[in-house]
Amino acid sequence: MHSIVYTGRLLSRAIWNGITNYTTTSAEASVSRKREPHLVHAVCGFPKDFTQAILKKGQFGDDAWFHALSKTTDVIGVADGVGGWRNYGIDPGEFSSFLMKTCERLVCSGRLKNVLPATLLARSYYELLESKQPILGSSTACVIVLNRETCQVYTANIGDSGFVIVRHGEVVHRSEEQQHYFNTPFQLSLPPPGRSGLVLSDSPDAADTSSFPVEDGDVILLATDGVFDNVPQQLLVTEMTKLQGEKDPCKIQGVANSIAWMARNLAFDSTFMSPFAESARHNGIEAVGGKPDDITVLLATVAI
């Protein structure tokens, strides 16, 4: 019974984290937005290990996320700190959190004339490298920018976090994973001194970028691999289709919660043939079941 109550409390706090973020950012934007195109969004997520979880704003375990506004853009992003660093006494969440907080600050500062996601990720990463107190670790990342003046979306993805955009029940855009080899995604890194040759470290220039127009009612899912490794695409599309044209943040929050909870349950289902297990088999590795991981779901609809 204790574990049920504890899990329920963490679920409530995770949901509340997303709701309070929406309330704050929407209030700030309500005066200037009027009828401009914008994103109506919600966030939900879970740390991999509930028992050691310390929930922080903008984080779920080693995952981090942000939403920010400039005069002409809505920007959302996720990052997934590589958990293996914990074996060396390094907190993987610090790297991903720094990346996302810096992206948020850069957007909100208004100093960037053209907010493009690849530039944003690069600026954030180079600030991390130049930090007086080194933040060691590595992370995947994905950032999406909606230009409210042109209804054009710009994306940058490095690694195996990513996005899916659904329109009238069909996937119209989706990011592609970047992997060096199985379960080893591209990543931005800062290794300890003298270890640079032993650690995978990709340049921000390696990010996969794209741009395309969006329409009123399009549904955008931005998530870390804890979602994509455990939830088949068709299940995601089924949930996302419920939000076609939806502008009620409470309903968007409900579906975000549903996707995150689905990913969490499937991650710990030892008999489920998850997308991760299928990928392992394609690489000659016998596997079945989900892949326990931190989970971050940032769900949005385009409102015009």
Side-chain angles (χ1 to χ4, degrees), residues 31-51:
V31 175
S32 61
R33 268 186 177 167
K34 296 181 181 179
R35 293 186 179 275
E36 281 186 337
H38 61 279
L39 299 179
V40 185
H41 79 282
V43 183
C44 188
F46 301 100
K48 175 182 174 180
D49 187 351
F50 275 144
T51 61

Side-chain angles (χ1 to χ4, degrees), residues 97-124:
S97 178
F98 185 98
L99 281 180
M100 296 295 94
K101 286 180 178 178
T102 305
C103 284
E104 181 178 9
R105 176 175 54 78
L106 290 170
V107 173
C108 293
S109 71
R111 294 176 183 173
L112 298 179
K113 291 183 179 180
N114 296 311
V115 181
L116 294 175
T119 302
L120 197 58
L121 270 178
R123 286 277 298 271
S124 178

Side-chain angles (χ1 to χ4, degrees), residues 172-194:
V172 290
H173 300 284
R174 174 163 186 163
S175 58
E176 295 292 335
E177 280 190 357
Q178 292 179 306
Q179 298 272 2
H180 289 284
Y181 41 88
F182 175 67
N183 203 29
T184 308
F186 282 35
Q187 52 202 265
L188 304 175
S189 302
L190 178 58

Side-chain angles (χ1 to χ4, degrees), residues 17-193:
N17 190 15
I19 292 174
T20 51
N21 177 73
Y22 173 83
T23 303
T24 302
T25 55
S26 293
E28 290 170 352
S30 61
V31 175
S32 61
R33 268 186 177 167
K34 296 181 181 179
R35 293 186 179 275
E36 281 186 337
H38 61 279
L39 299 179
V40 185
H41 79 282
V43 183
C44 188
F46 301 100
K48 175 182 174 180
D49 187 351
F50 275 144
T51 61
Q52 299 182 13
I54 300 175
L55 288 181
K56 302 176 184 178
K57 184 178 179 181
Q59 285 186 254
F60 296 108
D62 300 333
D63 288 358
W65 61 272
F66 81 98
H67 169 259
L69 302 168
S70 71
K71 288 183 179 180
T72 60
T73 62
D74 275 27
V75 189
I76 53 178
V78 297
D80 178 3
V82 176
W85 287 101
R86 188 168 283 106
N87 297 328
Y88 301 93
I90 295 170
D91 180 357
E94 289 189 6
F95 193 101
S96 56
S97 178
F98 185 98
L99 281 180
M100 296 295 94
K101 286 180 178 178
T102 305
C103 284
E104 181 178 9
R105 176 175 54 78
L106 290 170
V107 173
C108 293
S109 71
R111 294 176 183 173
L112 298 179
K113 291 183 179 180
N114 296 311
V115 181
L116 294 175
T119 302
L120 197 58
L121 270 178
R123 286 277 298 271
S124 178
Y125 176 60
Y126 291 129
E127 280 201 24
L128 183 148
L129 295 184
E130 294 167 3
S131 175
K132 292 181 179 179
Q133 298 219 343
I135 300 172
L136 305 179
S138 52
S139 178
T140 67
C142 186
V143 175
I144 294 178
V145 173
L146 168 67
N147 185 309
R148 297 198 299 272
E149 295 179 327
T150 63
C151 287
Q152 192 86 357
V153 154
Y154 299 86
T155 74
N157 181 59
I158 187 157
D160 57 3
S161 294
F163 67 87
V164 177
I165 299 181
V166 168
R167 179 182 301 153
H168 302 300
E170 299 291 334
V171 175
V172 290
H173 300 284
R174 174 163 186 163
S175 58
E176 295 292 335
E177 280 190 357
Q178 292 179 306
Q179 298 272 2
H180 289 284
Y181 41 88
F182 175 67
N183 203 29
T184 308
F186 282 35
Q187 52 202 265
L188 304 175
S189 302
L190 178 58

Side-chain angles (χ1 to χ4, degrees), residues 44-46 219-223 226-228 230-231 235-243 252-266 295-299:
C44 188
F46 301 100
V219 186
I220 301 172
L221 170 65
L222 180 61
V227 175
F228 298 117
N230 291 298
V231 185
L235 290 182
L236 293 175
V237 171
T238 297
E239 290 300 308
M240 294 171 69
T241 301
K242 297 174 183 177
L243 295 177
I252 297 170
Q253 185 70 60
V255 175
N257 299 346
S258 176
I259 292 174
W261 194 244
M262 184 189 307
R264 172 74 184 180
N265 286 337
L266 292 176
I295 291 162
T296 297
V297 171
L298 207 165
L299 194 60

